[in-house]
Amino acid sequence: HLAWWLSVNGGLIPSCNLYWDGCVSISRAARFGLGNHLFRLVMLPCATVQVLCWLGATLWLRRCTPTRVRMLPWLGLVAGVFLALYATFLGTDGRAYEAMRRYGISLYFAFTYFALLATLHALSQVGPRVPGYRSLLVVALGFMALGVASVAVRYTLSEPAVLDRWENALEWHLGLWLTAMFLVLAWRWWRDGVRVSLQLGGR
């Protein structure tokens, strides 16, 4: 959002209600100028933090559920790699770079969703009343609804300008749901007293 604000103030993109008008995509909002540098500066460390987040989720789930979650850290790793790939080539020109950006963000969302489903599956083994389970389930259903809506508009809208606006708006909403997912995880870990620490092995 800060990158979008910088791009608007720099006259690089039009100003509008992103979640309703969809005048620009997330990529275009941070494709040029200072907003692009800020976006890449922040998103590359975020990709690393998200990989560590899913690794932390794996360790947490092993302690509170009977289900094995061997695939979860690998799903998180792949999601983080594709997010880093997307952020690295944002603002570059060329068909190859465009393909890496497009597939990077699409596969990032996909593998993050798979990681969410794996987390939900593990929590479901304890019971639906586990704190945070229902909230994460709502996020997963919201993800699915946005995905279905994206496919629907792609096959029902023929005018390119209208289609772009709908896809852009849905993309921004997807970003909100993604943020909500991490907030739910943070709340659950705070509730459980989960802490991250570095320990040096002694003799």
Side-chain angles (χ1 to χ4, degrees):
H1 285 84
L2 182 56
W4 166 80
W5 179 79
L6 289 171
S7 296
V8 169
N9 279 357
L12 301 173
I13 58 174
S15 177
C16 71
N17 185 328
L18 299 171
Y19 297 94
W20 179 255
D21 298 323
C23 60
V24 292
S25 63
I26 293 177
S27 298
R28 189 183 172 197
R31 190 173 296 169
F32 308 106
L34 183 59
N36 177 259
H37 297 300
L38 174 67
F39 187 84
R40 289 199 284 184
L41 180 67
V42 174
M43 292 310 296
L44 289 174
C46 277
T48 303
V49 171
Q50 289 189 32
V51 172
L52 296 176
C53 172
W54 292 118
L55 178 60
T58 303
L59 299 175
W60 166 66
L61 289 170
R62 285 177 182 173
R63 299 174 69 94
C64 64
T65 70
T67 305
R68 296 183 179 182
V69 283
R70 293 178 178 176
M71 290 301 298
L72 182 56
W74 297 106
L75 293 172
L77 176 62
V78 174
V81 168
F82 279 113
L83 178 59
L85 180 69
Y86 162 74
T88 299
F89 291 103
L90 185 64
T92 56
D93 296 321
R95 291 185 178 181
Y97 297 137
E98 181 181 356
M100 284 188 280
R101 292 195 304 269
R102 183 179 298 274
Y103 285 108
I105 194 60
S106 298
L107 291 172
Y108 162 68
F109 280 125
F111 278 92
T112 300
Y113 187 67
F114 294 152
L116 172 59
L117 293 181
T119 302
L120 277 171
H121 174 68
L123 289 175
S124 69
Q125 303 306 304
V126 181
R129 294 188 178 182
V130 175
Y133 174 81
R134 292 183 178 178
S135 298
L136 287 175
L137 180 60
V138 169
V139 172
L141 293 174
F143 261 80
M144 183 180 298
L146 288 170
V148 171
S150 180
V151 173
V153 299
R154 189 170 299 175
Y155 285 98
T156 56
L157 299 177
S158 57
E159 187 176 344
V162 177
L163 176 60
D164 283 344
R165 286 182 175 271
W166 271 97
E167 288 185 334
N168 292 341
L170 290 171
E171 187 180 75
W172 284 99
H173 281 281
L174 189 62
L176 278 185
W177 284 97
L178 185 72
T179 304
M181 177 190 67
F182 288 116
L183 288 175
V184 173
L185 285 174
W187 168 79
R188 177 62 200 272
W189 293 349
W190 171 80
R191 183 183 181 278
D192 289 354
V194 175
R195 298 291 184 270
V196 176
S197 62
L198 294 176
Q199 294 183 352
L200 297 177
R203 292 183 179 178

